[in-house]
Amino acid sequence: MSEQLAIVRAAIARAAAIARRDPAEITLIAVSKTRTVDEIAPLIAAGQRVFGENRVQEAEDKWPALRDADRGLSLHLVGQLQSNKAAAAIALFDAIHSVDRPSLVDALGNAMARSDRRPDCFVQVNIGAEPQKGGVAIAELPALLERVRAAGLPLAGLMCVPPAEVEPAPYFALLAKLAREHGVAGLSMGMSGDVETAVMLGATHVRVGTALFGARR
Ligand SMILES: *Cc1c(COP(=O)(O)O)cnc(C)c1O
C-alpha cells in the first residue's frame, strides 16, 4: 500500500477510535484535482477506490480511461458546479458535494429527470460566512434543503470548507448540529490538515488531497 495512504487511513482510524466510531462509516475521498493519470494510478493500485475532482472538464479528460480499467471506482465532485454543466456532472460523478443554490438544485433535478443516473447530493454550507466562498448561507439552508427534497435529489449530507488559518472544530461542530436539526445523515468535512478533528466531530466523508499526493504545484 502507498505509504501516504496508510498514514491517512491510520489517522482516520485513530480519530474514529477516540470518538468510539466504526472507521468503516468514514469514506476517504482522495482529491486528485491537478494530478495526472500517472500520479493517480498508484493510489488505485494501492486499493483506493473513491476520488474527488473539482472541475467537470478536468474530470472528463482524466477519468474515463481510469474507470474503464477499474469498474469499482467512485468519483465525487468537490468543486463549484455551474448549472449549465449539471447534465455533464450527473453523467460523470457518483456524488456532488457542492449543491449550494436554488438554480443549481433545479438544474440537477431536470438533468436527473432526463437521465438514469442519480448521484448522491451534498448541500454545501458557507459555514464561516465568507463572501469569497461557495455554499449556501446558514439562514438560507432550510429553504434550500426543502427545495432539494421537493426536487427529489438524493440528499446524502451537508458539506463545508471552514475558514483557513483558524481552529476548524467549531465549524465542524456547527455543520454537525445543522445536519442533526435538519435530519441529514452525511457530513462531508475534513481535509489534509484537519481530518482527525473532522472524524472526531462526526465526518462521514473526508476529502484529502495534499496528504496523499504531496503539495499541489
Ligand atoms: C482541494 C480540496 C480538498 C483537498 O484539500 P487538501 O488540503 O489538499 O487535502 C478538499 N475539499 C475541497 C473542496 C477541495 O477543493
Side-chain angles (χ1 to χ4, degrees):
M1 192 200 290
S2 121
E3 191 182 340
Q4 292 92 326
L5 183 58
I7 289 168
V8 172
R9 282 188 180 163
I12 292 170
R14 197 163 51 237
I18 291 170
R20 298 181 168 265
R21 299 184 61 202
D22 178 356
E25 290 170 10
I26 298 143
T27 300
L28 170 60
I29 303 168
V31 179
S32 51
K33 64 188 183 198
T34 78
R35 315 296 177 172
T36 63
V37 167
D38 286 346
E39 291 173 290
I40 296 167
L43 218 54
I44 297 174
Q48 178 63 25
R49 286 291 169 272
V50 185
F51 290 83
E53 290 282 343
N54 71 336
R55 289 169 192 272
V56 175
Q57 179 68 57
E58 182 183 340
E60 281 175 339
D61 291 343
K62 282 168 18 186
W63 283 92
L66 287 164
R67 282 171 131 183
D68 281 348
D70 188 333
R71 293 271 161 204
L73 299 181
S74 166
L75 195 56
H76 291 220
L77 177 66
V78 301
Q80 287 194 16
L81 176 59
Q82 293 169 270
S83 295
N84 63 7
K85 296 208 172 138
I90 283 172
L92 187 61
F93 291 99
D94 302 295
I96 296 173
H97 290 243
S98 49
V99 179
D100 66 354
R101 58 194 188 279
S103 58
L104 181 57
V105 170
D106 297 349
L108 289 168
N110 291 334
M112 282 190 206
R114 284 183 265 103
S115 158
D116 58 357
R117 304 230 346 125
R118 297 181 57 71
D120 284 341
C121 291
F122 291 77
V123 168
Q124 183 177 352
V125 181
N126 190 347
I127 202 74
E130 297 175 281
Q132 79 281 14
K133 267 198 190 146
V136 63
I138 290 172
E140 289 159 24
L141 177 63
L144 191 68
L145 288 173
E146 206 168 292
R147 197 163 181 130
V148 165
R149 287 172 164 137
L153 302 189
L155 177 59
L158 302 183
M159 177 273 212
C160 77
V161 180
E165 317 291 341
V166 297
E167 169 59 48
Y171 298 98
F172 292 153
L174 176 55
L175 195 73
K177 174 169 173 259
L178 292 169
R180 270 197 310 277
E181 284 173 1
H182 294 289
V184 182
L187 286 172
S188 169
M189 59 188 197
M191 314 195 338
S192 292
D194 50 28
V195 169
E196 292 175 72
T197 305
V199 167
M200 287 186 239
L201 290 167
T204 59
H205 295 71
V206 293
R207 311 177 310 264
V208 179
T210 311
L212 291 171
F213 292 101
R216 276 181 293 277
R217 289 171 295 276

